[in-house]
């Protein structure tokens, strides 16, 4: 039967109607994409050509550290780069193999290739799966932030749908549908994550494993997850999330995570110190479809291990104090602190994320518009970023994406290394 | 009538054509499996930009899986993930009896005319008016109404076809809407076959593996 499907066209004829004339009848013929009886190999991906220009923020210590020693005339920088995503999936009976690669080209000398995902899986039945390798997980219901994302790679809140690198892991998953009863569906995931090689880039210390477990249930039309994570040093985190539809156009969701000792870096007396924060991080949000076809996503996020306004100002003062010394070694050390101890894209405690999007506004065909903001409630700084998308042809997309940052000099968004940014993307799928 | 449109546990392929006001068309191809009255899962086969996406519907619950995002996201029935006149609940339609109660039955010539009322507030349309051919219980037309009584869209079922194994049903659904005056959408059914499906096929964890069923 498989061969049969591959070779024939299913001709579907339609009688003439007021809507569709005879010349369009050929639209009702389509070929079913091929299936393979024994082994399936699928290759796909996309190429993103991106051009960007940004107005730098020369008063920002982050800018000073990032471009220390560089002679940059004027206030503007531009960038042209190619992002290439190549994905492969191979399936032979119960055995699967998945590869997702990312390559970035900015010039001949800096070509980067990385495996975002690379894992094998045993799909023993629709109920049991087992996978080993590098795999991306995405726990939590929030759109831009996930306090219960214990096994997630940190998202870019400004582009949460962007493909990200996974983590080396072993996963066992059990999945059960229960047709009748209080619980409709049930799933259990157990994930073990070895520490990344940090000794000579090949080894890590024994015992540096972490593990995470998740129990999912669909109860009375509510998605409900309970999570548990234990990491190096026996640090434990407990979490839950939920989502449900209130109406035909309203969905609500939430996450809560308790940690008994989340590590956080703070600056005291111009030096980095490790602190432990115990308590709850949480998120509450909704997705609403307005009658005029606009979708609004709104999330409130509290990060218990985030910095207070004073702690963030101390961090900025630390960066500035070390920058103005002009000492190259100290500046290298400060850069290391910046990209390791304070590497999160959003370092503070309370945020509101709002995104509104609409397809084909004002009857502009093949277009879409959206605007999002991430508002820092602790220092009243924010990013405002509208987007205009246009899909002139199938598998082609053009995106115009400006971003504007607002806030005082020592605020989170006011201290970024740029103030305004404009990006243009050309995306081709295959 | 539901048994005619969705006979038991089945797999099928569908092509969705959205015609834009300028006459241009956007096309999608889906592989779909359906079981019982209220379980539907669907995999996008084309175009390349959407390939690998999958949706699941269990009763009033719907989710969308996007490979890049890596997790199913709960969606609502009134959204349309493919644009055009069809919304999510049209594309992932359950048996009508799973979502609506018949409140009135009239006859007109060779057709029954049924008034249906939504069972819950999460159902897309508050009420439906349905025309069904008496002799074979095949649906001809469905009008979908908002709570205000405003007509939202009309679905017309055409091209009755024998798919084999006792499955005889309309193979084309056309839809128009006064809310999308210059848009037209058509769904074409092909290769409908009975298939034994485990219930676990209709779970969130299985969405990324739907292609294994083909």
């Amino acid at each position: 039967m498989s061969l049969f499907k591959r070779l024939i066209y299913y001709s579907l004829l339609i009688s003439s109607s007021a809507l569709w004339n005879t010349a369009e009848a050929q639209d009702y013929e389509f070929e079913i994409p091929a299936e393979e009886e024994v082994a399936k190999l699928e290759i796909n991906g996309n190429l993103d050509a991106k051009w960007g220009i940004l107005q730098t923020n020369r008063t920002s210590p982050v800018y000073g550290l990032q471009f220390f020693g560089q002679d940059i005339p004027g206030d503007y920088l531009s960038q042209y780069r190619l992002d290439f995503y190549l994905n492969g999936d191979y399936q032979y009976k119960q055995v699967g193999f998945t590869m997702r690669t990312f390559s970035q080209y900015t010039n001949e000398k800096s070509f980067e290739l990385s495996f975002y995902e690379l894992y094998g899986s045993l799909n023993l039945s629709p109920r049991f799966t087992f996978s080993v390798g590098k795999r991306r997980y995405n726990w939590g219901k929030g759109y831009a932030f996930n306090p219960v994302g214990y096994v997630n790679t940190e998202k870019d809140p400004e582009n949460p749908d962007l493909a990200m690198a996974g983590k080396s892991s072993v996963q066992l998953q059990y999945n059960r549908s229960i047709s009748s009863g209080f619980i409709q569906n049930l799933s259990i995931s157990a994930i073990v994550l070895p520490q990344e090689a940090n000794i000579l880039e090949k080894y890590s210390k024994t015992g540096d494993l972490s593990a995470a477990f998740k129990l999912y249930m669909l109860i009375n039309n509510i998605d409900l997850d309970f999570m548990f994570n234990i990491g190096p040093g026996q640090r434990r985190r407990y979490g839950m999330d939920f989502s449900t539809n209130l109406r035909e156009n309203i969905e609500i969701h939430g996450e809560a995570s308790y940690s008994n000792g989340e590590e956080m870096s703070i600056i005291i007396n111009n030096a980095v110190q490790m602190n432990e924060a115990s308590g709850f991080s949480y998120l509450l949000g909704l997705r609403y479809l307005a009658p005029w076809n606009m979708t609004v996503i709104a999330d409130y996020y509290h990060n218990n291990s985030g910095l207070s306004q004073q702690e963030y100002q101390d961090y900025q003062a630390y960066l500035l104090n070390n920058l103005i010394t002009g000492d190259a070694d100290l500046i290298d050390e400060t850069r290391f602190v910046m990209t390791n101890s304070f590497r999160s894209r959003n370092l503070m405690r309370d945020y509101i994320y709002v995104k509104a999007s609409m397809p084909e506004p004002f009857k502009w065909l093949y277009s879409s518009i959206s605007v999002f903001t991430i508002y820092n409630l602790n220092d009243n700084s924010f990013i405002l970023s509208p987007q205009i998308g246009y899909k002139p042809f199938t598998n082609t997309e053009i995106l115009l994406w400006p971003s504007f940052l607002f806030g005082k000099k020592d605020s989170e968004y006011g201290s970024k290394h740029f103030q305004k940014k404009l990006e243009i993307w050309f995306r081709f799928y295959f | 009538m539901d048994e005619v449109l969705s006979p038991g546990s089945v797999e099928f392929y569908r092509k969705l054509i959205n015609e834009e006001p300028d006459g241009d068309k956007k096309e999608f191809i889906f592989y779909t499996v359906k079981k019982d009255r209220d379980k539907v899962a669907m995999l996008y086969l084309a175009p390349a930009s959407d390939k690998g996406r999958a949706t699941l519907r269990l009763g009033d619950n719907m989710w969308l899986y996007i490979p890049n995002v890596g997790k199913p996201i709960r969606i609502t029935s009134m959204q349309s993930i493919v644009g055009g006149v069809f919304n999510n609940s049209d594309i992932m339609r359950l048996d009508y009896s799973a979502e609506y109660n018949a409140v009135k039955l009239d006859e007109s010539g060779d057709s029954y005319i049924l008034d249906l009322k939504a069972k819950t507030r999460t159902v897309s349309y508050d009420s439906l008016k349905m025309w069904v051919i008496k002799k074979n219980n095949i649906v001809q037309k469905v009008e979908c109404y908002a709570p205000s009584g405003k007509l939202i869209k009309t679905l017309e079922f055409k091209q009755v076809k024998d798919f084999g194994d006792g499955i005889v049903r309309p193979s084309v659904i056309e839809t128009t809407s006064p809310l999308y005056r210059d848009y037209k959408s058509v769904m074409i059914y092909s290769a409908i076959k009975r298939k034994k499906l485990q219930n676990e096929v209709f779970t969130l964890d299985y969405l990324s593996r739907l292609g294994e069923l083909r």
Side-chain angles (χ1 to χ4, degrees):
Chain A
M1 197 59 192
S2 166
L3 183 62
F4 177 71
K5 278 188 189 166
R6 282 201 299 273
L7 295 176
I8 68 164
Y9 284 79
Y10 291 89
S11 299
L12 302 161
L13 302 176
I14 187 169
S15 58
S16 59
S17 71
L19 300 177
W20 302 83
N21 61 33
T22 308
E24 291 167 327
Q26 60 185 355
D27 289 330
Y28 305 124
E29 300 174 359
F30 73 98
E31 183 183 10
I32 294 170
E35 60 176 296
E36 298 294 338
E37 190 72 26
V38 180
K40 298 174 188 172
L41 175 64
E42 292 192 348
I43 303 289
N44 61 61
N46 56 285
L47 172 69
D48 296 351
K50 299 178 181 176
W51 180 80
I53 184 165
L54 54 90
Q55 183 184 9
T56 57
N57 181 5
R58 285 173 171 269
T59 62
S60 158
V62 177
Y63 172 86
L65 289 162
Q66 201 166 349
F67 296 102
F68 180 75
Q70 304 286 330
D71 181 22
I72 301 172
D75 290 335
Y76 292 90
L77 288 169
S78 71
Q79 185 185 57
Y80 177 72
R81 69 176 197 265
L82 300 174
D83 290 349
F84 180 57
Y85 299 85
L86 178 65
N87 308 321
D89 289 283
Y90 176 80
Q91 189 75 37
Y92 177 73
K93 295 183 178 175
Q94 284 80 33
V95 180
F97 167 78
T98 299
M99 176 190 75
R100 302 196 190 285
T101 69
F102 170 67
S103 321
Q104 188 171 81
Y105 176 92
T106 48
N107 62 46
E108 289 298 335
K109 289 179 184 170
S110 64
F111 175 77
E112 294 174 19
L113 170 67
S114 58
F115 288 104
Y116 271 10
E117 292 189 283
L118 188 67
Y119 65 88
S121 54
L122 278 174
N123 302 318
L124 302 172
S125 76
R127 289 182 184 169
F128 280 106
T129 56
F130 171 77
S131 69
V132 184
K134 187 177 183 182
R135 184 166 189 172
R136 186 189 178 197
Y137 302 97
N138 198 345
W139 286 9
K141 306 297 185 200
Y143 186 63
F145 302 101
N146 294 113
V148 298
Y150 304 145
V151 289
N152 298 4
T153 308
E154 190 185 1
K155 286 178 185 172
D156 177 358
E158 294 165 27
N159 191 3
D161 293 339
L162 194 67
M164 304 288 280
K167 291 182 176 177
S168 296
S169 58
V170 178
Q171 181 187 222
L172 184 65
Q173 198 160 30
Y174 174 74
N175 178 29
R176 187 73 199 269
S177 170
I178 303 161
S179 294
S180 57
F182 184 59
I183 299 174
Q184 295 158 272
N185 276 345
L186 183 145
S187 160
I188 299 167
S189 302
I191 301 171
V192 178
L193 301 105
Q195 181 79 325
E196 289 224 336
N198 52 12
I199 301 172
L200 299 176
E201 297 187 349
K202 287 183 180 177
Y203 309 101
S204 59
K205 285 186 274 184
T206 56
D208 271 1
L209 287 173
S210 64
F213 305 90
K214 185 171 74 147
L215 170 67
Y216 162 78
M217 291 175 286
L218 176 62
I219 300 178
N220 197 22
N221 295 335
I222 300 171
D223 289 316
L224 205 53
D225 291 289
F226 294 95
M227 301 87 164
F228 172 65
N229 171 229
I230 182 164
Q234 302 300 303
R235 193 182 69 245
R236 289 179 170 85
R237 290 184 286 185
Y238 309 86
M240 65 82 64
D241 68 27
F242 76 93
S243 72
T244 190
N245 293 350
L246 291 183
R247 295 285 299 266
E248 74 281 6
N249 58 349
I250 303 175
E251 177 265 357
I252 58 166
H253 52 262
E255 301 181 24
S257 171
Y258 176 79
S259 172
N260 71 343
E262 191 86 23
E263 284 187 350
M264 61 179 288
S265 302
I266 55 172
I267 302 296
I268 296 178
N269 297 327
N270 211 48
V272 182
Q273 292 198 8
M274 295 304 293
N275 231 357
E276 284 197 350
S278 294
F280 283 97
S281 295
Y282 47 87
L283 176 142
L284 193 63
L286 64 81
R287 183 188 304 250
Y288 169 67
L289 176 68
W292 52 93
N293 208 19
M294 175 186 283
T295 299
V296 177
I297 299 169
D299 284 355
Y300 165 70
Y301 169 51
H302 172 74
N303 175 17
N304 187 58
S305 60
L307 302 176
S308 66
Q309 188 175 9
Q310 184 58 53
E311 287 167 341
Y312 188 80
Q313 287 170 350
D314 291 344
Y315 167 59
Q316 287 297 308
Y318 162 81
L319 298 181
L320 185 60
N321 291 340
N322 291 358
L323 175 66
I324 58 179
T325 64
D327 180 336
D329 291 337
L330 183 59
I331 285 171
D332 273 348
E333 184 186 315
T334 310
R335 281 177 181 155
F336 181 83
V337 168
M338 197 167 70
T339 53
N340 287 275
S341 302
F342 295 89
R343 67 181 171 191
S344 176
R345 291 175 187 271
N346 292 85
L347 289 165
M348 296 178 71
R349 286 188 184 166
D350 298 285
Y351 296 92
I352 287 180
Y353 176 91
V354 179
K355 181 177 184 179
S357 56
M358 191 173 183
E360 303 195 339
F362 317 115
K363 297 195 173 180
W364 296 345
L365 294 180
Y366 319 117
S367 70
S368 61
I369 56 168
S370 67
V371 59
F372 77 84
T373 183
I374 302 173
Y375 193 95
N376 183 327
L377 293 165
N378 302 122
D379 64 14
N380 295 313
S381 67
F382 62 100
I383 180 172
L384 185 67
S385 187
Q387 290 179 355
I388 300 173
Y390 183 56
K391 296 179 179 177
F393 306 101
T394 300
N395 297 326
T396 307
E397 186 176 1
I398 301 167
L399 191 67
L400 181 69
W401 186 1
S403 298
F404 307 93
L405 276 56
F406 300 92
K408 292 178 183 170
K409 280 184 180 178
D410 58 357
S411 67
E412 186 171 37
Y413 283 105
S415 63
K416 298 277 186 188
H417 67 284
F418 68 93
Q419 294 172 319
K420 300 182 185 79
K421 185 170 68 172
L422 173 66
E423 289 192 345
I424 300 172
W425 295 22
F426 291 88
R427 175 171 277 179
F428 305 92
Y429 296 92
F430 62 92
Chain B
M1 179 271 298
D2 278 327
E3 176 61 21
V4 172
L5 285 179
S6 303
S9 177
V10 289
E11 68 170 5
F12 49 93
Y13 292 84
R14 289 182 292 176
K15 183 176 193 176
L16 172 66
I17 304 169
N18 288 332
E19 184 173 324
E20 309 285 347
D22 66 354
D24 204 358
K25 297 185 181 75
K26 285 184 179 174
E27 299 180 349
F28 301 83
I29 297 180
F30 310 123
Y31 169 72
T32 309
V33 287
K34 183 174 184 294
K35 186 177 181 182
D36 303 332
R37 297 166 64 207
D38 62 350
K39 297 185 182 73
V40 184
M42 188 176 93
L43 176 69
Y44 288 60
L45 303 179
S49 55
D50 293 296
K51 192 174 180 179
R53 289 183 173 210
T55 50
L56 171 67
R57 182 167 187 191
L58 293 174
D60 292 339
N61 306 286
M62 288 188 200
W63 300 268
L64 166 67
Y65 171 80
I66 302 172
N68 258 2
V69 176
K71 70 174 176 185
I73 300 164
R74 185 176 271 269
I75 54 177
T76 58
S77 57
M78 283 299 275
Q79 280 180 287
S80 178
I81 49 179
V82 291
V85 187
F86 284 115
N87 64 27
N88 294 342
S89 68
D90 298 325
I91 297 168
M92 308 271 289
R93 196 183 60 77
L94 307 178
D95 283 5
Y96 284 111
S97 61
E99 296 188 280
Y100 298 92
N101 289 319
V103 293
K104 190 180 170 191
L105 173 67
D106 286 328
E107 294 185 34
S108 173
D110 60 355
S111 298
Y112 293 117
I113 303 172
L114 287 85
D115 287 348
L116 307 178
K117 182 76 178 169
K119 290 180 177 177
T120 68
R121 294 181 359 158
T122 55
V123 175
S124 288
Y125 311 113
D126 180 67
S127 60
L128 304 178
K129 188 177 274 291
M130 178 183 287
W131 283 257
V132 181
I133 300 170
K134 285 179 183 174
K135 67 178 180 186
N136 53 16
N137 284 338
I138 288 179
V139 179
Q140 285 179 300
K141 187 169 85 167
V142 176
E143 290 178 346
C144 310
Y145 292 91
S148 62
K150 186 178 177 183
L151 177 65
I152 298 176
K153 72 179 62 159
T154 302
L155 305 169
E156 293 193 66
F157 295 72
K158 298 182 172 179
Q159 296 289 311
V160 175
K161 184 176 174 181
D162 186 347
F163 290 93
D165 206 8
I167 302 172
V168 180
R169 57 151 290 159
S171 62
V172 175
I173 303 173
E174 292 181 359
T175 184
T176 53
S177 169
L179 305 178
Y180 299 86
R181 286 204 176 275
D182 302 319
Y183 293 78
K184 301 165 189 170
S185 291
V186 170
M187 184 101 72
I188 308 161
Y189 285 69
S190 183
I192 305 177
K193 288 193 302 181
R194 296 184 194 277
K195 188 179 180 88
K196 279 193 175 179
L197 297 161
Q198 273 189 256
N199 284 338
E200 279 70 24
V201 164
F202 302 93
T203 56
L204 296 186
D205 290 339
Y206 199 79
L207 272 178
S208 61
R209 298 170 52 195
L210 264 183
E212 293 174 19
L213 294 174
R214 295 180 65 219

